[in-house]
């Protein structure tokens, strides 16, 4: 899979087998209920009225639309699409668009809510949104995908805008789709507005460093976490579940810090080698063959569940929601989990891991590099002045390190049970402050 066009997290389209098992898992935990439980867990530590919290648990609005798109053979297909605008108290709605057969209203709504608290955790001036189309992109030609994307962009046009709602890439979407959406929007509006969408290709107004940003913040979070816990990341053993854009960049960057990537996986399965892998060579193999599985240096093949329960120092889930449920959490042997994916742990898994003393550094901090560099892209678009990659990476590091410090300060000051609750405590306070400062409460 070409990195420029790959997903922000991970492609389940390469092997329908895992997509099926992920869908089955998704039936067990509804991501929207997971989000609501996470908010309640944090609210228990805040002195806030329950009716005020209730407002944070529901989206402001959700567009549900049916696209009618002509296929290459002349037939017309009807396809479902969604855009959820969860909360705009801190700024324009912000969040990606995913193409996946598992997309539904609850998933998109949950993902839009996670964006609210992600943007607040890292302190960037956005609210939260998310969109999705219920398709497996592998089933369509490029011209069909272009027509589907432009049709969705026409539906989104009244909702989106540089100061209203700014989409971005997510699972199975990338620069190509963002460029199409920008072009459709600008054509219909008869203007230039590159800041209407982020994650574009550089020549269409994209930012340096955006493609790597999610993996980069994951590894910055891991680095800070190991430092905070007084352990060495150099020499640490690492397992990465999912080898899409976030997973493989995280593997590459953690290897550069001197850690040892002993296991990686994708939708076809995983590989383990005690001596570790060269993440770049594995990526090259995946690009050529479509999977990591039969990489010639593989020590042995393992399943995704085996990878998630390996005895490693650091586990990075970089696939989809619900990768670790309460049952699997009992078998997890990693010391630290840093989530590159959105929602990879169910609330039951979080409870079990907290009980077992396994530290989880949550998605809404760890993968916030994607939206943070989207913010930088938007700023550059508005100023029509572009930064080099070094500047982008430096500013990203500054924001992630500051957010990490805010989170650990809240963890200690409020004596919180885990770092996820700490992130939500920080984020909820910020969203409520913005709402109150608008004079909305007596
Ligand atoms: N899809 C990414 C996320 O889940 C990035 C969103 C954005 O850049 O707006 O955080």
């Amino acid at each position: 899979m070409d990195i420029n066009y790959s997903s922000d997290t991970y492609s389940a389209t390469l092997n329908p087998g895992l997509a099926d098992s992920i869908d089955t898992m998704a039936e067990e935990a509804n991501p929207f209920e997971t989000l609501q439980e996470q908010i309640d867990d944090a609210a228990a530590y805040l002195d806030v009225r329950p009716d005020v919290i209730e407002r944070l648990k529901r989206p402001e609005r959700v567009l549900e639309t049916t696209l009618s798109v002509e296929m290459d053979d002349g037939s017309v297909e009807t396809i479902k699409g969604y855009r959820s605008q969860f909360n705009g108290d801190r700024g324009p709605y912000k969040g990606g668009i995913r193409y996946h057969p598992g997309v539904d209203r609850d998933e998109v709504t949950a993902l839009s809510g996670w964006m609210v608290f992600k943007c607040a955790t890292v302190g960037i001036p956005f609210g939260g949104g998310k969109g999705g189309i219920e398709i497996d992109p592998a089933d369509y030609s490029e011209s069909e995908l272009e027509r589907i994307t432009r049709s969705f962009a026409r539906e989104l046009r009244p909702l989106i805008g540089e100061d209203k709602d700014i989409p971005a890439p997510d699972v199975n979407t990338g620069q190509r789709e963002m460029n199409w959406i920008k072009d459709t929007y600008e054509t219909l509006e008869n203007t230039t507005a590159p800041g209407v969408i982020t994650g574009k290709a550089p020549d269409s107004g994209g930012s340096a460093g955006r493609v790597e940003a999610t993996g980069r913040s994951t590894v910055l979070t891991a680095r800070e976490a190991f430092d905070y816990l007084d352990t060495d990341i150099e020499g640490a053993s690492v397992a990465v579940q999912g080898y899409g854009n976030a997973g493989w960049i995280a593997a590459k960057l953690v290897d550069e810090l001197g850690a040892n990537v002993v296991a990686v996986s994708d939708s076809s399965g995983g590989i383990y080698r005690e001596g570790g892998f060269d993440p770049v060579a594995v990526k090259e193999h995946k690009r050529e063959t479509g999977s990591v599985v039969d990489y010639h240096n593989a020590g042995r093949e393992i399943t995704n569940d085996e990878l998630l329960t390996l005895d490693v120092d650091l586990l990075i889930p970089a696939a989809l929601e619900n990768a670790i449920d309460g049952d699997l959490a009992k078998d997890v042997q990693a010391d630290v989990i840093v989530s590159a994916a959105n929602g990879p742990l169910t609330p039951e898994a979080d409870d079990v891991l907290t009980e077992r003393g396994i530290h989880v550094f949550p998605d809404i901090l760890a993968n916030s590099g994607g939206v943070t560099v989207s913010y930088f892209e938007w700023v550059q678009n508005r100023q029509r002045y572009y930064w080099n990659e070094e500047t982008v990476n430096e500013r990203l590091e500054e924001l992630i390190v500051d957010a990490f410090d805010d989170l650990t300060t809240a963890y200690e000051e409020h004596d919180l049970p885990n770092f996820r609750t700490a992130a939500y405590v920080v984020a909820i306070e910020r969203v409520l402050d913005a709402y109150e400062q608008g004079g909305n409460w007596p």
Side-chain angles (χ1 to χ4, degrees), residues 255-277:
D255 175 79
E256 284 174 14
L257 285 184
N260 191 18
V261 179
V262 296
V264 299
S265 69
D266 60 23
S267 49
S268 305
I271 47 176
Y272 172 84
R273 185 156 163 266
E274 205 183 329
F277 294 108

Side-chain angles (χ1 to χ4, degrees), residues 11-195:
S11 169
T13 59
L14 299 173
N15 179 329
L18 187 71
D20 288 343
S21 66
I22 286 166
D23 289 344
T24 314
M25 282 189 274
E27 274 166 31
E28 289 165 13
N30 176 323
F32 185 38
E33 287 167 14
T34 297
L35 166 76
Q36 294 186 321
E37 209 168 320
Q38 290 168 342
I39 296 169
D40 281 336
D41 284 349
Y45 295 90
L46 289 166
D47 185 20
V48 186
R49 288 176 3 204
D51 51 337
V52 174
I53 291 296
E54 211 48 43
R55 181 181 167 271
L56 294 185
K57 288 164 61 182
R58 286 168 213 294
E60 289 175 16
R61 65 191 67 79
V62 182
L63 167 79
E64 185 169 339
T65 179
T66 307
L67 311 174
S68 303
V69 183
E70 187 178 346
M71 297 293 112
D72 290 344
D73 66 2
S75 64
V76 172
E77 199 167 310
T78 51
I79 297 169
K80 273 187 145 175
Y82 306 85
R83 179 78 185 169
S84 168
Q85 298 181 329
F86 201 93
N87 180 293
D89 295 347
R90 298 185 68 261
Y93 307 102
K94 185 84 192 79
I97 292 174
R98 86 172 36 178
Y99 291 180
H100 192 274
V103 162
D104 64 21
R105 193 184 177 99
D106 278 355
E107 187 195 44
V108 169
T109 306
L111 289 160
S112 69
W114 283 324
M115 289 308 302
V116 175
F117 301 104
K118 187 184 302 187
C119 293
T121 298
V122 77
I124 56 174
F126 287 135
K130 200 78 164 204
I133 302 183
E134 190 193 328
I135 54 164
D136 182 344
D139 294 343
Y140 298 90
S141 70
E142 183 163 10
S143 61
E144 287 169 340
L145 284 173
E146 180 171 351
R147 288 194 294 279
I148 292 168
T149 305
R150 289 189 186 277
S151 165
F152 191 47
R154 284 192 293 275
E155 288 298 309
L156 291 179
R157 174 166 71 129
L159 296 183
I160 63 176
E162 289 183 306
D163 293 312
K164 295 200 278 184
D165 182 353
I166 304 141
D170 198 78
V171 171
N172 291 331
T173 60
Q175 294 179 343
R176 181 182 63 174
E177 290 75 16
M178 303 306 111
N179 301 342
W180 287 333
I181 294 173
K182 169 183 172 273
D183 181 71
T184 308
Y185 180 86
E186 290 185 333
T187 304
L188 293 171
E189 294 285 327
N190 188 28
T191 189
T192 57

Side-chain angles (χ1 to χ4, degrees), residues 3 24 29 44 59 68 92-93 133 154 205 243 275 346 353 406 423 428 436:
I3 179 174
T24 314
S68 303
Y93 307 102
I133 302 183
R154 284 192 293 275
Y243 220 59
T346 66
L353 295 168
D406 291 346
I428 289 173
E436 281 180 19

